[in-house]
Amino acid sequence: DVKVTQSSRYLVKRTGEKVFLECVQDMDHENMFWYRQDPGLGLRLIYFSYDVKMKEKGDIPEGYSVSREKKERFSLILESASTNQTSMYLCASSAGPGETDTQYFGPGTRLTVL
Amino acid sequence: DAKTTQPPSMDCAEGRAANLPCNHSTISGNEYVYWYRQIHSQGPQYIIHGLKNNETNEMASLIITEDRKSSTLILPHATLRDTAVYYCTLTYYFGNEKLTFGTGTRLTIIP
């Protein structure tokens, strides 16, 4: 089974702190994604990566950056956390282009910024 | 604009079939219909997908209309563990495509 793990289930940070969210997948997937999920807004894509050291902006990249130095690891960085970044953050991975590009999700990190 | 529309909530009696509808009237020829579900406080979980034909796996069945403008996810014998939010989404054949999840259908299984 595909396994996607995220570094923390719950995280509390203060405004202005630099925050790192880590995601690791164990299935040699090409693609990795970061989403945030807020009540009434569904899932929104922040960034995605289809190869090591490659990244593409999603729908809401402002205030975030990402890093993918190794194929299995995709990090989301909040350079200076703000209260409006309080949210559930979900990481996902998929095999890559093809007929069945199913995305597999991690358990999520609930981030609270005070 | 959302590419798929789903009812916000549904109830289903335990042991009965749960039928969850999804409208995707602007679907293009190379888009697949995917279904995911999200149990409270967990990440979304893949259920099933299809292009034109009806599909079945160990979790569910997917019925896609001939014009492909709508689909129905069927959970044949719903259990309490099927209580979740169900999302219908579209994905291109060539992948590398972001998922667009709307607000989904909150399915509650009634004992």
Side-chain angles (χ1 to χ4, degrees):
Chain A
D1 283 349
V2 175
K3 191 161 187 181
V4 179
T5 57
Q6 295 183 228
S7 49
S8 305
R9 287 302 305 273
Y10 299 94
L11 206 54
V12 179
K13 295 292 182 181
R14 296 208 174 271
T15 301
E17 280 192 80
K18 191 169 186 176
V19 181
F20 293 86
L21 302 182
E22 303 285 333
C23 175
V24 178
Q25 50 93 4
D26 67 357
M27 283 301 291
D28 200 36
H29 280 175
E30 300 288 334
N31 300 335
M32 296 188 75
F33 306 81
W34 275 106
Y35 296 88
R36 64 177 281 177
Q37 185 174 33
D38 301 287
L41 296 178
L43 240 63
R44 292 181 292 167
L45 182 68
I46 305 171
Y47 269 96
F48 68 100
S49 167
Y50 53 86
D51 200 354
V52 176
K53 297 191 186 295
M54 303 297 289
K55 61 184 179 183
E56 295 283 342
K57 292 181 180 179
D59 296 323
I60 51 165
E62 296 78 19
Y64 303 94
S65 62
V66 289
S67 173
R68 194 166 180 202
E69 296 295 321
K70 293 184 178 182
K71 192 174 186 180
E72 68 271 18
R73 188 179 297 269
F74 192 35
S75 302
L76 180 70
I77 303 155
L78 287 66
E79 295 290 342
S80 178
S82 63
T83 55
N84 62 12
Q85 292 178 310
T86 291
S87 186
M88 168 71 90
Y89 289 87
L90 290 160
C91 175
S93 71
S94 68
E99 184 176 338
T100 57
D101 196 31
T102 301
Q103 291 197 20
Y104 296 89
F105 286 82
T109 295
R110 188 166 294 281
L111 173 67
T112 302
V113 182
L114 302 176
Chain B
D1 288 341
K3 296 177 71 174
T4 63
T5 56
Q6 300 175 252
S9 64
M10 293 180 62
D11 292 339
C12 178
E14 188 178 14
R16 304 295 294 268
N19 297 280
L20 292 90
C22 180
N23 287 322
H24 30 80
S25 58
T26 59
I27 190 171
S28 62
N30 57 356
E31 283 185 303
Y32 281 71
V33 180
Y34 271 75
W35 283 83
Y36 289 79
R37 74 179 182 185
Q38 188 172 23
I39 296 170
H40 183 62
S41 297
Q42 298 181 22
Q45 175 192 23
Y46 165 78
I47 301 172
I48 198 168
H49 73 283
L51 183 63
K52 296 180 184 178
N53 301 320
N54 299 337
E55 302 288 344
T56 295
N57 63 19
E58 65 279 3
M59 290 182 68
S61 295
L62 174 61
I63 308 297
I64 302 174
T65 58
E66 193 168 343
D67 63 9
R68 302 207 326 122
K69 293 185 177 182
S70 65
S71 60
T72 301
L73 178 74
I74 301 172
L75 308 178
H77 304 287
T79 71
L80 297 179
R81 287 177 294 181
D82 292 322
T83 292
V85 178
Y86 288 76
Y87 298 99
C88 168
T89 186
L90 307 178
T91 301
Y92 284 102
Y93 175 90
F94 288 107
N96 284 346
E97 186 73 13
K98 65 181 183 182
L99 287 179
T100 302
F101 280 25
T103 50
T105 296
R106 181 173 298 278
L107 176 67
T108 303
I109 306 302
I110 310 296

